[in-house]
Amino acid sequence: MNSRRRLLLILAYALTLVSCDKAKNFAEKASSAVKDRIASKTGAGDASKTDPALQKLVDQTPDGVSFRKDLPFPTHLEVRITRHQEWSGRFSQSSAIERHAEALKGTRTSVSKLERAGDQVRHTSEKTNFSIPSADDPDGAKQILSDPLSANAPSAQSHTFRKTGKSWLADPAGGFRNTTLAKELSPFFDGLLIENALAPRPLWFAAKKRFKPGDQLVVTGDSLPMLLAGKATGTLTLKLESFESVEGHPCGVFTVSGDYSRRQFPDFEGIFTDEDVTIQSGKLWLSLIHPIILREQLDTIQTLKSGNRGNQSSRGQGSIKVSVKRAWKPLGA
């Protein structure tokens, strides 16, 4: 009897050990599954896309995030800008000898590279085209060589500018076109650097202010330079929605709406534009570590007049969906 009882106790103990092991394995698997679900819900997979070195510079506490402007801004950097504009409206071009107007629907795409090394800046137009919907293929598009929205064709040549004193002058090796371009752009050059993230914006968020998703900000009057370089008026309303990275760079994502006007603001090809813009809806990706804007997605209604300082100009009015992405890369000095 004692032998039988001892055997039953041994069997019971063994079964208890097996049950404990199964329970332990089950608990470990359950814990792992919970962690995986938490990671997927909190976007842990997306966090790896942010550059770890840049993420360490983000100032975030339980009270919210601060949009920093205290860090030294790089003096050597490269910015590659990809811009898409979906146009639908009526546009015209004019010169000293003719004027042409038409209803137009299509997409303008441009890619440019900007390099800054201290007081030297180089601009290169890498790609420019205009495509219209294809009648043969509703889902496709065909490219046309001439850009109907440009007063003159952009140059594929790089243009280099150097700062001397307070003026930006042409690199002597650039030839007559570069010299003329530098003379036209020099009074506006600092604004061009700010607009294209080659220099920090002069106005930014208050240093002690922290933001959480849902917080709003109205930008108007003297505060407009934090969003628009050049001579601008208007009112824009921002609302912080989330945090994402652009090419590894941590940003706060804001919705934006409102109206603004800007006069005689140039691009690096010497085209000056007057614009009246209504932003119906859109998003802006604002850097968390420097006063720069790295991405824009806007659904707008615009009235435009642009041209060079010669006798060519273009006008347009219609709806324009704008997408701008600035791949921002500091370089070793």
Side-chain angles (χ1 to χ4, degrees):
M1 187 66 136
N2 291 336
S3 297
R4 185 180 178 183
R5 183 177 293 174
R6 282 197 299 271
L7 179 60
L8 289 173
L9 289 173
I10 292 171
L11 288 173
Y13 180 68
L15 289 172
T16 301
L17 291 177
V18 172
S19 298
C20 288
D21 288 340
K22 287 184 177 179
K24 181 179 179 181
N25 291 336
F26 179 78
E28 289 176 349
K29 290 180 180 179
S31 176
S32 177
V34 170
K35 288 180 180 178
D36 290 342
R37 288 199 298 271
I38 292 174
S40 65
K41 290 182 179 179
T42 57
D46 293 338
S48 62
K49 297 180 182 179
T50 303
D51 187 319
L54 297 179
Q55 184 61 39
K56 291 180 180 179
L57 299 175
V58 175
D59 181 4
Q60 188 169 17
T61 70
D63 294 327
V65 68
S66 173
F67 286 81
R68 302 188 66 174
K69 57 183 178 181
D70 59 313
L71 296 174
F73 196 84
T75 57
H76 293 66
L77 65 156
E78 174 186 294
V79 184
R80 179 171 271 101
I81 302 174
T82 302
R83 186 185 303 270
H84 298 281
Q85 297 171 310
E86 296 181 24
W87 297 69
S88 180
R90 188 162 185 84
F91 304 92
S92 66
Q93 284 184 306
S94 62
S95 66
I97 58 175
E98 65 175 348
R99 185 177 185 275
H100 175 72
E102 63 178 326
L104 188 65
K105 184 175 183 179
T107 301
R108 186 188 208 181
T109 300
S110 65
V111 180
S112 58
K113 182 172 72 172
L114 293 162
E115 302 161 275
R116 181 171 191 177
D119 288 338
Q120 177 174 300
V121 171
R122 180 166 59 186
H123 170 263
T124 305
S125 178
E126 296 186 337
K127 174 183 177 181
T128 300
N129 64 47
F130 194 90
S131 61
I132 60 176
S134 172
D136 300 327
D137 180 8
D139 296 326
K142 62 180 182 179
Q143 293 186 3
I144 54 180
L145 296 179
S146 61
D147 185 345
L149 305 173
S150 177
N152 60 284
S155 170
Q157 176 186 353
S158 294
H159 299 296
T160 302
F161 309 90
R162 300 178 185 274
K163 190 172 187 179
T164 301
K166 295 184 178 181
S167 299
W168 287 89
L169 306 177
D171 187 310
F176 176 77
R177 166 62 178 156
N178 206 41
T179 300
T180 302
L181 193 60
K183 185 177 180 179
E184 294 173 348
L185 295 181
S186 185
F188 312 94
F189 210 85
D190 289 335
L192 268 175
L193 299 183
I194 292 167
E195 189 82 351
N196 292 281
L198 289 172
R201 291 187 175 268
L203 291 177
W204 204 234
F205 299 89
K208 295 183 179 180
K209 173 67 176 177
R210 293 190 176 273
F211 285 83
K212 291 182 177 180
D215 288 348
Q216 295 192 44
L217 177 70
V218 176
V219 180
T220 188
D222 292 341
S223 63
L224 274 173
M226 75 175 291
L227 299 178
L228 297 165
K231 299 177 181 179
T233 59
T235 300
L236 299 173
T237 301
L238 303 181
K239 180 181 178 181
L240 180 61
E241 292 289 336
S242 61
F243 302 103
E244 296 178 8
S245 64
V246 177
E247 299 287 329
H249 192 112
C251 295
V253 185
F254 289 83
T255 58
V256 59
S257 61
D259 304 271
Y260 72 87
S261 298
R262 182 162 58 174
R263 296 291 177 261
Q264 287 297 287
F265 193 77
D267 62 16
F268 276 101
E269 296 291 341
I271 303 300
F272 289 77
T273 299
D274 293 342
E275 55 186 352
D276 297 298
V277 180
T278 295
I279 301 176
Q280 297 178 303
S281 63
K283 289 184 177 181
L284 299 174
W285 281 253
L286 277 57
S287 167
L288 290 172
I289 58 179
H290 288 296
I292 52 177
I293 300 174
L294 293 182
R295 189 176 175 189
E296 305 169 31
Q297 286 185 340
L298 308 172
D299 192 346
T300 71
I301 302 294
Q302 300 193 30
T303 299
L304 304 169
K305 178 184 177 182
S306 63
N308 55 26
R309 291 301 171 92
N311 57 4
Q312 292 180 310
S313 65
S314 64
R315 295 173 181 265
Q317 185 175 44
S319 65
I320 307 174
K321 293 183 178 180
V322 180
S323 173
V324 181
K325 184 177 181 181
R326 300 177 179 93
W328 191 84
K329 182 181 178 182
L331 304 174

